DNA sequence: ATGGCTACTCCTAGTAGA
């Protein structure tokens, strides 16, 4: 079983590439972030016609999450508990093949110390609280998505330039560690300890071709699922060519 | 030395992303 995550940066702009990629890689489950489309305009027809079931929650212009799957998934939640007054679409939880899959698009945070940064940290605190109160680290749980956090030096092309900046500040890294310490494993690091593996590259300055990237998209697995994860990869090919997203997909294989 | 882009919108300028 292959479960993938990809920040697509507008599903409408990326639809031809998305369809092509799904036909090429054929993941069992794909968690998408930044769909940037309201539900009534979600391009379900193009995806169901190639065999994918779609669950989604979007809003105008910003955010938006979706889960595509070859077998139907059961939607559990479409918002992070505690976000009841929050219209930002950043969370989608489903049940499929006996696994609970949570797809997140974490806030960016804009700038350390800004109101959006405080919102980001509060959002992560609510996510950790939700895990504590509602979920069991001994169950089959996969938490993936765009975390907007690079956890360690080896996840950043130039740690000294990035240190203390948004995406790579200590409070953000602590928020990430707090999720892991609940009882999750960083699936990529189980198999790939080396530096230089990134999932996002700035559109500007030819960053992708210069290797100026960050690893901010992650797949976290509960212990029972970690034992079933045999491989994981970042598909850099999907970042190449015409009109790419600024993120590459991450694909995890579970036996 | 700096910055270099892309996508969105009550759409050609401002906001946001990361």
């Amino acid at each position: 079983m292959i479960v993938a995550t990809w920040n697509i940066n507008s599903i409408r702009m990326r639809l031809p590439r998305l369809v092509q990629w799904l036909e090429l890689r054929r993941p069992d489950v794909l968690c998408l972030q930044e769909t940037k489309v309201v539900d009534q305009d979600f391009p379900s027809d193009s995806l169901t016609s190639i065999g994918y079931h779609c669950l989604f929650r979007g809003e105008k212009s910003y955010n938006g999450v979706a889960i595509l799957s070859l077998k139907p998934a059961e939607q559990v939640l479409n918002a992070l508990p505690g976000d009841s007054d929050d219209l930002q679409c950043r969370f989608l939880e489903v049940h499929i093949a006996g696994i609970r899959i949570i797809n997140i698009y974490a806030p960016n945070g804009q700038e350390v110390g800004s109101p959006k940064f405080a919102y980001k940290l509060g959002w992560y605190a609510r996510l950790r609280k939700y895990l504590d109160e509602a979920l069991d680290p001994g169950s089959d749980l996969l938490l993936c998505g765009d975390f907007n956090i690079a956890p360690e030096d080896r996840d950043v092309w130039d740690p000294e330039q990035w240190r203390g900046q948004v995406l790579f500040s200590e409070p953000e890294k602590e928020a990430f560690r707090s999720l892991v310490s609940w009882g999750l494993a960083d699936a990529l690091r189980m198999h790939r300890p080396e530096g230089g593996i990134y999932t996002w590259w700035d559109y500007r300055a030819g960053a992708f071709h210069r290797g100026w990237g960050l690893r901010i998209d992650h797949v976290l697995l509960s212990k029972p699922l970690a034992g079933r994860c045999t491989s994981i990869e970042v598909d850099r090919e999907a970042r190449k060519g015409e009109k790419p997203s600024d993120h590459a997909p991450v694909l995890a294989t579970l036996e």
Side-chain angles (χ1 to χ4, degrees), chain A residues 5 12 76 78 135 151 168 172 184 250:
Chain A
T5 178
R12 286 176 292 181
V76 178
N78 65 10
L135 300 174
F168 195 54
E172 292 165 279
L184 298 169
V250 183

Side-chain angles (χ1 to χ4, degrees), chain A residues 8-241:
Chain A
I8 196 106
N9 186 15
S10 172
I11 197 170
R12 286 176 292 181
M13 288 302 296
R14 221 65 62 207
L15 190 58
R17 285 188 69 122
L18 173 61
V19 167
Q20 190 177 35
W21 186 83
L22 286 168
E23 290 180 320
L24 179 70
R25 302 305 305 261
R26 228 46 203 165
D28 295 278
V29 180
L30 174 60
C31 295
L32 293 170
Q33 304 87 35
E34 281 207 277
T35 53
K36 295 187 176 179
V37 67
V38 293
D39 290 350
Q40 58 263 37
D41 293 334
F42 191 89
S44 299
D45 291 349
S46 302
L47 300 167
T48 55
S49 72
I50 58 166
Y52 280 93
H53 299 266
C54 306
L55 292 170
F56 43 84
R57 180 161 184 258
E59 61 186 87
K60 194 170 70 175
S61 305
Y62 305 119
N63 312 316
V65 283
I67 296 180
L68 315 182
S69 56
L70 289 173
K71 292 180 179 168
E74 174 198 346
Q75 182 171 305
V76 178
L77 280 174
N78 65 10
L80 178 62
D83 276 354
S84 53
D85 298 327
D86 190 335
L87 299 174
Q88 300 185 23
C89 300
R90 300 183 175 279
F91 183 101
L92 190 57
E93 176 178 334
V94 303
H95 209 253
I96 183 167
I99 301 174
R100 186 183 298 260
I101 294 179
I102 299 176
N103 175 20
I104 64 165
Y105 172 51
N108 166 281
Q110 196 171 50
E111 190 177 350
V112 173
S114 69
K116 286 180 180 176
F117 188 76
Y119 175 78
K120 180 177 192 173
L121 296 181
W123 192 90
Y124 267 105
R126 291 203 299 283
L127 178 57
R128 170 62 204 247
K129 184 162 179 276
Y130 171 62
L131 295 179
D132 284 334
E133 292 177 354
L135 300 174
D136 173 7
S139 65
D140 289 338
L141 174 68
L142 184 155
L143 169 63
C144 71
D146 178 356
F147 286 64
N148 270 319
I149 298 174
E152 299 178 48
D153 282 13
R154 59 182 165 166
D155 301 312
V156 179
W157 69 277
D158 184 348
E160 298 319 317
Q161 176 182 316
W162 278 87
R163 201 172 305 288
Q165 302 295 311
V166 73
L167 312 185
F168 195 54
S169 72
E170 281 307 319
E172 292 165 279
K173 287 186 260 187
E174 181 51 40
F176 186 85
R177 286 194 293 268
S178 172
L179 290 182
V180 169
S181 70
W182 177 78
L184 298 169
D186 182 339
L188 187 121
R189 288 310 181 197
M190 290 169 45
H191 296 276
R192 303 286 302 275
E194 72 272 28
I197 302 172
Y198 309 128
T199 65
W200 169 83
W201 299 260
D202 200 307
Y203 280 124
R204 295 170 291 184
F208 177 68
H209 296 285
R210 296 201 218 195
W212 295 354
L214 303 181
R215 190 176 73 99
I216 56 176
D217 301 85
H218 308 292
V219 178
L220 304 185
L221 301 170
S222 63
K223 276 221 172 62
L225 270 190
R228 291 168 52 187
C229 179
T230 53
S231 69
I232 183 158
E233 69 168 296
V234 177
D235 183 6
R236 292 181 73 260
E237 292 303 311
R239 181 64 178 76
K240 300 177 180 176

